[in-house]
Amino acid sequence: MENSATIELKEIDQVIQRYNEHRESLLMILQDICDLYNYLPSQVIPLLADRLGVKESLIYSVATFFKSISLEPQGKYIISVCTGTACHVRGADKVMEAIQDKLHIKEGQTTNDLLFTLQGVRCLGCCASGPVLMVNKEIHGGIDRSRAEELLERYRGEER
Ligand code: FES
């Protein structure tokens, strides 16, 4: 399976130009490239290193330090299941299990069609509504197995 994005050098160049090739803007440049492709494709790292005059190892360290930057292809929809204590006691593990079963992936993985990435996160700050999950920036409370499945169908339906 080929999961890597098709890289448009022109788009990468526009991002670099937007920051006047300033190496001090490395983090912003990496974020903008992630916004374009949903992850930081490894093919762009030598190009960035060359254009910004920094070592590739520096780019890798920045990319691995910040959680918002992924070196792996991410799904269009990032599902974050809260595994905090309040959600845990209300059945968050069942929610996680339901999503794993439905999508045939484990926590931390992405579906082959690059639609969904599943991750566990700590408290999302709305414990009274637990179990809670977030899809990109949209929070959903009172989730059980059937609601989780419905939600996945809804997001999948938006792609049809
Ligand atoms: S523990 Fe899940 S929102 Fe707080």
Side-chain angles (χ1 to χ4, degrees), residues 9-21 28-33 36-37 48:
L9 288 180
K10 201 170 141 219
E11 285 183 328
I12 302 291
D13 198 54
Q14 282 168 351
V15 173
I16 297 171
Q17 290 300 330
R18 194 178 306 146
Y19 295 96
N20 297 318
E21 300 190 25
M28 270 98 78
I29 291 171
L30 297 182
Q31 295 283 181
D32 284 8
I33 294 171
L36 281 175
Y37 300 105
L48 284 176

Side-chain angles (χ1 to χ4, degrees), residues 81-90 92 121-133 139:
V81 177
C82 178
T83 57
T85 309
C87 287
H88 175 73
V89 297
R90 291 173 182 217
V121 291
R122 287 293 163 186
C123 184
L124 288 167
C126 40
C127 314
S129 309
V132 170
L133 63 76
I139 295 211

